[in-house]
Amino acid sequence: LNEKILPDQALLAIARADDSTFGILHSRIHEIWSLRMCTWLGVGNDPRYTPTTCFETFPFPVGMTPKDTADWCGVIPVDCPVKAQAEKIAAAADKLNSLREACLNPSEWVDWVITPEEEKAGFPKRPVAKPGHEAELKKRTLTNLYNARPAWLDMAHKALDVAVAEAYGWADY
């Protein structure tokens, strides 16, 4: 989220600028951890990500904890002892995010716009459907994308999972 956006209620925002942390938190390894450590809503079948049990207890790879990466600001330092591993995770995470964004907001359906007031306030550009694509674009959500789980999305996640597993020393993942 942009720093100008204020999350509310049950939305959990993890304020990080580095793609390595994004990648670790989007890996299957973190997903499995979270499903084991989360709380449950409803009749016990709706997982709820809780920061104290899912995030704060998660064993990040050595050298890539939130404390280790706090000053990275999107750039992995040259003298970082886990630079190669962090870069591999960051590249896989960036690829995953780029593919998802291209699917959710295809350039032939979307214009990125910002009003002068929004720009002055520091907001990012926002996608607006091009005429005739409003209904199609409305169906393009992360939930629908992950429910469909196309092969390219599955492959991008698997590449990310391998990069994260290697950071743990699991070469045979």
Side-chain angles (χ1 to χ4, degrees), residues 6-152:
L6 181 62
D8 189 21
Q9 296 180 349
L11 178 63
L12 178 66
I14 299 172
R16 304 300 303 177
D18 62 287
D19 286 338
S20 300
T21 300
F22 173 84
I24 293 165
L25 295 176
H26 279 76
S27 72
R28 179 79 176 136
I29 295 161
H30 185 68
E31 179 183 357
I32 291 167
W33 178 270
S34 299
L35 287 172
R36 171 61 181 91
M37 303 302 289
C38 69
T39 58
W40 298 87
L41 296 173
V43 294
N45 60 349
D46 296 320
R48 180 173 174 239
Y49 189 97
T50 49
T52 54
T53 60
C54 298
F55 182 77
E56 293 173 16
T57 63
F58 181 67
F60 281 83
V62 173
M64 291 187 221
T65 69
K67 183 178 180 183
D68 297 325
T69 61
D71 296 328
W72 287 8
C73 299
V75 179
I76 303 165
V78 176
D79 61 346
C80 176
V82 294
K83 185 173 177 61
Q85 293 170 327
E87 286 177 337
K88 190 169 185 179
I89 294 169
D94 182 59
K95 173 92 174 179
L96 170 65
N97 192 54
S98 296
L99 289 169
R100 290 189 324 191
E101 284 298 320
C103 178
L104 296 174
N105 298 300
S107 58
E108 60 273 12
W109 293 3
V110 170
D111 284 320
W112 290 87
V113 300
I114 189 167
T115 66
E117 295 82 12
E118 291 168 336
E119 189 170 20
K120 185 177 178 184
F123 287 101
K125 289 184 177 182
R126 56 189 164 78
V128 175
K130 291 180 180 178
H133 295 287
E134 297 86 357
E136 294 168 291
L137 193 63
K138 194 176 267 192
K139 296 175 190 172
R140 296 276 176 123
T141 66
L142 270 177
T143 299
N144 289 342
L145 177 60
Y146 276 84
N147 285 343
R149 193 74 175 209
W152 60 262

